[in-house]
Amino acid sequence: QISDMAFGIRELSKKLVQIKLKLNVRNIFILGKAHDETLISHSRETTEWLLSKEPHYRVYVEDTLEQNRIFDSEGLLNDNPDFRGRLRFWSKKLCDERPQTFDIVLALGGDGTVLYASWLFQRIVPPVLAFSLGSLGFLTKFDYELYPQTLSRAFGEGITVSLRLRFEATIMRSQSNKKTDNKRDLVEELIGEESEDHHTHVPDGTHNILNEVVLDRGPNPTMSTMELFGDDEHFTTVQADGICVSTPTGSTAYNLAAGGSLCHPDNPVILVTAICAHTLSFRPIILPDTIVLRAGVPYDARTSSWASFDGKERTELRPGDYVTISASRYPFPSVLPLDRKRQDWVDSISRTLQWNSRQRQKSYKEWTA
Amino acid sequence: QISDMAFGIRELSKKLVQIKLKLNVRNIFILGKAHDETLISHSRETTEWLLSKEPHYRVYVEDTLEQNRIFDSEGLLNDNPDFRGRLRFWSKKLCDERPQTFDIVLALGGDGTVLYASWLFQRIVPPVLAFSLGSLGFLTKFDYELYPQTLSRAFGEGITVSLRLRFEATIMRSQSNKKTDNKRDLVEELIGEESEDHHTHVPDGTHNILNEVVLDRGPNPTMSTMELFGDDEHFTTVQADGICVSTPTGSTAYNLAAGGSLCHPDNPVILVTAICAHTLSFRPIILPDTIVLRAGVPYDARTSSWASFDGKERTELRPGDYVTISASRYPFPSVLPLDRKRQDWVDSISRTLQWNSRQRQKSYKEWTA
Amino acid sequence: QISDMAFGIRELSKKLVQIKLKLNVRNIFILGKAHDETLISHSRETTEWLLSKEPHYRVYVEDTLEQNRIFDSEGLLNDNPDFRGRLRFWSKKLCDERPQTFDIVLALGGDGTVLYASWLFQRIVPPVLAFSLGSLGFLTKFDYELYPQTLSRAFGEGITVSLRLRFEATIMRSQSNKKTDNKRDLVEELIGEESEDHHTHVPDGTHNILNEVVLDRGPNPTMSTMELFGDDEHFTTVQADGICVSTPTGSTAYNLAAGGSLCHPDNPVILVTAICAHTLSFRPIILPDTIVLRAGVPYDARTSSWASFDGKERTELRPGDYVTISASRYPFPSVLPLDRKRQDWVDSISRTLQWNSRQRQKSYKEWTA
Amino acid sequence: QISDMAFGIRELSKKLVQIKLKLNVRNIFILGKAHDETLISHSRETTEWLLSKEPHYRVYVEDTLEQNRIFDSEGLLNDNPDFRGRLRFWSKKLCDERPQTFDIVLALGGDGTVLYASWLFQRIVPPVLAFSLGSLGFLTKFDYELYPQTLSRAFGEGITVSLRLRFEATIMRSQSNKKTDNKRDLVEELIGEESEDHHTHVPDGTHNILNEVVLDRGPNPTMSTMELFGDDEHFTTVQADGICVSTPTGSTAYNLAAGGSLCHPDNPVILVTAICAHTLSFRPIILPDTIVLRAGVPYDARTSSWASFDGKERTELRPGDYVTISASRYPFPSVLPLDRKRQDWVDSISRTLQWNSRQRQKSYKEWTA
């Protein structure tokens, strides 16, 4: 009967990673890179189309567009007096404080814009429907050219979202401690007898990230030494240029460059990959997302390491500091293509890595046959 | 609330992969390689110890030992007349037909013996407690030297088992079809319009495997071409020496040699790794274990491929044949160390890959610092 | 002054790898796969063109074409009576015994045809000018469409050949030796005190190869164990699916699939790459071509290994057998493109691995920026 | 006869890489890390031993030791009045200006000390005999414990040196050019029509390096884009964290961490390895050391890159700057072990990567057998 329970859980998990939602759209959030002139025009066009379509729609664009010459909000309102009160402006503060306001986020740009959406919404994230202006990406699954059809259908028939695992990463700063400073040991403090002492470290900022946390040697010419912990266990001491802790979504980004595997986004796992490991025995590791991972700089390290979160917010980690990484309570709901929901991941991979599903790849070894 | 459900599932999964069991031991199954003289002596010693310990224990040893000179069952029974009726002999047939008979399997040997246990019990597997005669392995977690203490405690206090994912792999043979034989297309037959036609292939044997299914070029000097499918999607055409489809348990075996990642056994995933891919764009892939994978030989392939299951049972796959691989309903319950249950995987990895958890690894790059 | 000598040698080497030759063409050797109908037509066309061009040219085609319906030698001679005596037929035997007969080899087909030329000419190889029927390859550097211009220019102005390193590989068979058979040790026999005893092994065939020697487990499901020696030193015991010993020319073939590096053909090196090494500490090795390499099956191996030479001639190596591999005295003169001689290698690599020299490659990580 | 010439060159090269030298020792250079107290004691001990041994020996130690309390030169001279005039002090300036002064360099420490010797002697390098204080390394081949025997024998019988390839690396700075600054193209300037214009760049420092030149993204969180040229050919645009250009000696250092091959030090090659390439089609490349390599930052790059030389001297490369790398006229003469000269490299590799030449490595896959 144990087998049967396991089987049931498997079925349940399968259903939960892709969720169907009927939308009752009132407040639409539009996101585009504010310094890109083409994107501003597209934002304006989409805004106008939406506000014209339904009188109860409210559209939020970035507050920097309020005075933007290209967006020309004044002109838009003058031409369409009924848009007044329905064209609104969002700020980072609004995203932080009232994320529930928004029924859907329309992201315009590339995969970088989707990462920006993840950064804006650090807690609850509205469903994100991402349009690509050029070729489709791993996260931008809709062709902007077809936005009217796409939105009409999504708002009418509903959407399916893929709940993407995010990590919650917290920087923990070592607190100076006069008595013991010259013989402190990170392993002891985290999992040894001293681990009951909660005064050794204090939190210094938490990030919800969609792709990866990277700890590396930053501007140092020498390699880093890092201690890696899983729950209350010391995994290993990593000697490398750095370490990449990636979500399944991030597996096609830096993780791949560092030699990690491609990972389906539905897998509840954490990918740990060393960057230029200086020992031959390190290999990329796949851990369950139920593990709490900690990676830190030993007290006797000669140099600092640097942490970055989704490629941003680079922060120095001095000896004794560490980062806690665990599954976030706030996943990222990415709207799937309306037609090829199930095949979406394979489609992305094939497109981006140039796997030709039907046509045989030309093998560089063919000539030996 | 979606987030909360996802969170709940995560917690539930966490509990299910490691299960506590109270044992009510009556029938004990002893497994050792029958051709190894030392192992036969150890089997005899353990049998004697068990039968002497509790009058209601029954011990099953392999039927080849009944007439074995070293095991000397006759001598054992003569010296201990009360063992009569309690020393029994198992056969492969008994394992197939009445696996529920056994309360526990004691495996003596190395990790290969544990694979043999998986092969014997193709459906329900009793909990397997594996003793190592030499150094501990990934699956042999108990030191044989300490067997009396280990068994007394396990039978008295209960055990914790790790439910290891197994795959069910079925060979599907292409059926000859006079009319269309010279223009058949595997992709069409499996996921195209012809996929409704269930007469194209017939099953030819199913294996429950614990480590991996390997499809490779076998004795052919040239590379293989294989079609890879996930559910109803054609993933890619693989041009390689072969392809390794591994469970998390198998991730430290052939998968690692082929360049795959180390994978925690609790992850519900399938690892797909090409063996010497002849295209640069292939990378190891981590898929959910809810996917049904199919890998086959295209009809226009110049040569056959070979399938092997846990390194055994090598079978030819002719053009048009394929193998279906999916999560088995019958996981493999591996008894965890009584004391370091949670750390077990990290301990195995550290031991085997020579990660020194506490001591710094000597880096080959140290001298450049 | 030592530095200066080293510098001089470097300059000299640079000049020797690419050699200019003025041709005095009389005997032309045409090579194409005899079972490919298109190639037979092309062979016929080229033969006719050559024999018509200069009355002192003699053209040799494969003897299987003498009675070939498509080649129709009778028709050719009937239409052109002056071809009589100048259209000749070659056999493998002629290549072995009088390779100096031929002033140039014209290979039609793909890189496989060039390998076939290397196999035909086991000692001295005439310059090989290789036409591709489809896209250019690593060794087929001329577009067949342009053959009249190419040949007129090459025969008139001369050619530049790249002298490609070949290996001489000799199979050494262990000789049975009643007295010591059950305690023989390959390492002792090859580099230990017994190495003076030349009766332990006898040669069994020598191959000059252009790409690689592969030793692997062949049809065995288990890995191979092989002893690897360089000159009189035991390098290491390799536990792997096999071992690939590649020339620089072969570096883009099987070596690349096994994880080896790309190697410029002018480098005087041997590339040794394990195929799915079962130990983490093995890495591809680049050795000087002045080393004599020996790779063999230890006497206590449980299974045989198989050796193959340029992907052909698969031979079983029983325990105790080994293969000696060293630089051949007979390099392979590959005719370089008439215009981009120096850039030839970079051109091949860019073309085949899809490096776009000028255009930026689309990076799969671009979206994170 | 071409084959024969090639064969002769091969033989000549073989002789040149290892050169026997008879020493007529007068001036001995001692090198140790000046801040390590143990090393200072050892330097003092060796100095005393040498000056006592032969009255015509002169010993040079670093000028920072003249006033060093532990070295205590005053005490040494007071105790041994005949050492006066024979104990001398070297400075970086002396190494630059009169390297011929020294008959031999004795390096005490680890492989890092040997790199330091290479840095000190930027042109002619005296033979370097390197003692290890701990375990032997790739470059420290003598056990310090045995220094009296080692030196007596080396000075008496002569030494064999391995001439290690060094690179000469020159930073080339782009010169501002008002007219064309916003449309400059590095590829055009280096190999296009503008390559005749020698005013585009000026040299800014040359380094002779023994291990590697690394160009990387330094403190930038995003990847680097670099243009790579060989002689007058544009190889490819590299999108990666960086690029490592290594000598054979450096192949076991950063090159190995970045995924490059092990390379025998006698090979006349350059190893180019991308660091975390962001495209799947890049593989480590082995080039002849007769090639002049150039790697630079394109004018339209968003960020700078950083160059470092043997892990030191990190320098910013702004868009338009590049580094020229070619074989140096000044190789590094490393004294080989007196007894196992030929096996030296294999010994180093086995020792450091834990290959056990005789004993079978424990395979992590053994258990599947």
Side-chain angles (χ1 to χ4, degrees), chain A residues 26-43:
Chain A
R26 301 197 76 87
N27 296 304
I28 301 160
F29 185 105
I30 292 187
L31 181 64
K33 283 184 181 159
H35 50 79
D36 180 325
E37 302 204 348
T38 316
L39 281 177
I40 296 172
S41 304
H42 287 314
S43 294

Side-chain angles (χ1 to χ4, degrees), chain D residues 54-354:
Chain D
E54 291 283 348
H56 64 275
Y57 285 178
R58 280 189 291 267
V59 174
Y60 289 76
V61 296
E62 191 162 2
D63 53 7
T64 56
L65 294 184
E66 189 157 9
Q67 305 300 334
N68 183 283
R69 191 180 44 77
I70 296 167
F71 190 82
D72 185 21
S73 62
E74 213 43 56
L76 194 64
L77 294 175
N78 288 341
D79 293 352
N80 306 277
D82 64 309
F83 287 5
R84 271 189 212 281
R86 294 167 54 222
L87 172 62
R88 301 192 172 187
F89 300 93
W90 57 260
S91 62
K92 170 73 169 125
K93 190 157 171 286
L94 187 63
C95 301
D96 285 341
E97 293 177 359
R98 290 197 284 129
Q100 312 90 324
T101 304
F102 311 110
D103 299 307
I104 196 158
V105 172
L106 307 183
L108 274 59
D111 284 347
T113 312
V114 181
L115 281 184
Y116 183 43
S118 171
W119 176 82
L120 276 176
F121 293 97
Q122 282 288 300
R123 295 171 54 96
I124 291 169
V125 190
V128 175
L129 192 157
F131 288 107
S132 171
L133 274 308
S135 52
L136 302 186
F138 286 107
L139 294 172
T140 49
K141 299 170 183 309
F142 296 89
D143 183 350
Y144 178 72
E145 302 276 308
L146 307 172
Y147 81 88
Q149 299 93 307
T150 300
L151 294 182
S152 299
R153 197 171 150 202
F155 292 0
E157 300 175 13
I159 55 174
T160 301
V161 298
S162 158
L163 278 187
R164 298 296 182 98
L165 170 66
R166 294 203 295 177
F167 293 153
E168 184 182 284
T170 301
I171 298 170
M172 300 296 290
R173 298 288 181 197
S174 172
Q175 292 308 96
S176 182
N177 181 331
K178 286 278 158 53
K179 286 198 213 114
T180 58
D181 266 13
N182 59 353
K183 48 183 172 188
R184 293 176 69 176
D185 178 342
L186 192 62
V187 177
E188 273 307 307
E189 292 187 0
L190 263 60
I191 60 163
E193 304 206 341
E194 299 160 35
S195 63
E196 297 306 299
D197 175 3
H198 296 300
H199 302 294
T200 58
H201 291 80
V202 294
D204 179 26
T206 291
H207 305 269
N208 273 273
I209 64 101
L210 181 56
N211 265 358
E212 77 278 294
V213 178
V214 172
L215 272 70
D216 66 19
R217 58 191 173 106
N220 296 319
T222 55
M223 65 177 176
S224 288
T225 300
M226 270 163 287
E227 303 293 354
L228 187 65
F229 304 85
D231 289 338
D232 294 325
E233 186 74 356
H234 182 228
F235 275 10
T236 189
T237 304
V238 182
Q239 293 186 305
D241 278 9
I243 190 170
C244 170
V245 181
S246 168
T247 65
T249 297
S251 74
T252 47
Y254 196 81
N255 168 72
L256 200 59
S261 296
L262 294 170
C263 183
H264 193 287
D266 292 352
N267 290 324
V269 301
I270 301 176
L271 299 112
V272 180
T273 305
I275 303 163
C276 294
H278 298 181
T279 42
L280 294 177
S281 59
F282 203 92
R283 279 293 188 88
I285 312 170
I286 319 290
L287 296 169
D289 72 352
T290 49
I291 273 184
V292 175
L293 212 67
R294 289 182 290 183
V297 185
Y299 279 102
D300 60 356
R302 275 175 281 179
T303 56
S304 294
S305 286
W306 265 255
S308 66
F309 304 92
D310 279 348
K312 283 190 285 285
E313 320 259 357
R314 217 169 202 197
T315 304
E316 187 176 357
L317 297 180
R318 284 175 295 270
D321 295 347
Y322 67 90
V323 177
T324 297
I325 301 164
S326 61
S328 167
R329 270 186 170 262
Y330 307 105
F332 186 91
S334 169
V335 179
L336 291 170
L338 304 180
D339 291 315
R340 290 175 60 83
K341 289 186 258 296
R342 287 187 56 84
Q343 303 92 324
D344 173 59
W345 185 70
V346 171
D347 288 353
S348 313
I349 294 287
S350 303
R351 207 162 50 219
T352 317
L353 304 190
Q354 282 147 7

Side-chain angles (χ1 to χ4, degrees), chain C residues 122-142:
Chain C
Q122 281 288 300
R123 295 171 55 94
I124 290 169
V125 190
V128 175
L129 192 157
F131 289 107
S132 171
L133 275 307
S135 52
L136 303 187
F138 286 107
L139 294 171
T140 49
K141 299 169 183 309
F142 296 90

Side-chain angles (χ1 to χ4, degrees), chain C residues 214-225:
Chain C
V214 172
L215 272 69
D216 66 18
R217 60 191 172 108
N220 296 319
T222 55
M223 64 176 176
S224 288
T225 300

Side-chain angles (χ1 to χ4, degrees), chain C residues 307-350:
Chain C
S308 66
F309 304 91
D310 279 347
K312 283 190 283 286
E313 319 261 357
R314 215 167 205 198
T315 305
E316 186 175 357
L317 298 181
R318 285 173 297 269
D321 295 348
Y322 65 90
V323 177
T324 297
I325 302 163
S326 60
S328 167
R329 269 186 170 263
Y330 307 105
F332 186 90
S334 168
V335 178
L336 291 171
L338 305 179
D339 292 316
R340 289 175 59 83
K341 287 185 260 296
R342 288 187 55 84
Q343 304 92 323
D344 173 58
W345 186 70
V346 171
D347 289 354
S348 313
I349 294 286
S350 303

Side-chain angles (χ1 to χ4, degrees), chain C residues 46-233:
Chain C
T46 312
T47 300
E48 188 163 10
W49 184 86
L50 284 164
L51 289 175
S52 307
K53 190 175 160 71
E54 291 284 348
H56 64 274
Y57 285 176
R58 281 190 290 267
V59 174
Y60 288 77
V61 297
E62 192 163 2
D63 54 9
T64 56
L65 295 184
E66 190 158 9
Q67 305 301 335
N68 183 284
R69 190 182 43 78
I70 297 166
F71 191 82
D72 184 23
S73 60
E74 214 42 57
L76 194 64
L77 294 174
N78 288 340
D79 293 352
N80 307 275
D82 64 311
F83 289 1
R84 272 189 210 280
R86 294 166 55 222
L87 172 62
R88 301 191 172 188
F89 299 94
W90 58 259
S91 61
K92 171 70 169 127
K93 190 155 170 287
L94 187 62
C95 301
D96 286 340
E97 292 175 359
R98 290 197 285 128
Q100 311 89 324
T101 306
F102 312 109
D103 300 308
I104 194 158
V105 172
L106 307 183
L108 274 59
D111 284 345
T113 312
V114 181
L115 282 184
Y116 183 43
S118 170
W119 177 82
L120 276 176
F121 293 97
Q122 281 288 300
R123 295 171 55 94
I124 290 169
V125 190
V128 175
L129 192 157
F131 289 107
S132 171
L133 275 307
S135 52
L136 303 187
F138 286 107
L139 294 171
T140 49
K141 299 169 183 309
F142 296 90
D143 182 352
Y144 178 73
E145 302 275 307
L146 307 172
Y147 81 89
Q149 300 94 305
T150 299
L151 293 182
S152 300
R153 198 170 149 203
F155 292 0
E157 300 174 14
I159 55 174
T160 302
V161 298
S162 159
L163 277 188
R164 298 297 183 98
L165 171 66
R166 293 202 296 177
F167 291 152
E168 184 182 285
T170 302
I171 298 170
M172 301 296 291
R173 298 287 182 199
S174 173
Q175 294 306 98
S176 183
N177 180 332
K178 286 279 156 54
K179 284 195 217 122
T180 59
D181 267 12
N182 58 353
K183 47 183 173 189
R184 292 177 70 176
D185 178 343
L186 192 62
V187 176
E188 274 306 308
E189 292 187 359
L190 264 61
I191 61 163
E193 302 206 342
E194 299 161 35
S195 62
E196 297 306 298
D197 174 3
H198 297 301
H199 301 294
T200 58
H201 291 81
V202 295
D204 179 26
T206 291
H207 306 270
N208 274 272
I209 64 101
L210 181 56
N211 265 357
E212 77 277 294
V213 178
V214 172
L215 272 69
D216 66 18
R217 60 191 172 108
N220 296 319
T222 55
M223 64 176 176
S224 288
T225 300
M226 270 163 287
E227 304 293 353
L228 186 65
F229 303 84
D231 290 339
D232 295 325
E233 185 75 355

Side-chain angles (χ1 to χ4, degrees), chain A residues 214 216-222 241 254 256-258 275-278 280 283 308 311-312 314 353 364, chain D residues 214 216-222 241 254 256-258 275-278 280 283 308 311-312 314 353 364:
Chain A
V214 172
D216 66 19
R217 58 191 174 109
N220 296 318
T222 55
D241 279 9
Y254 196 80
L256 200 59
I275 304 163
C276 294
H278 299 181
L280 294 177
R283 280 294 188 87
S308 66
K312 283 190 285 285
R314 215 168 205 199
L353 304 190
Y364 58 77
Chain D
V214 172
D216 66 19
R217 58 191 173 106
N220 296 319
T222 55
D241 278 9
Y254 196 81
L256 200 59
I275 303 163
C276 294
H278 298 181
L280 294 177
R283 279 293 188 88
S308 66
K312 283 190 285 285
R314 217 169 202 197
L353 304 190
Y364 57 77

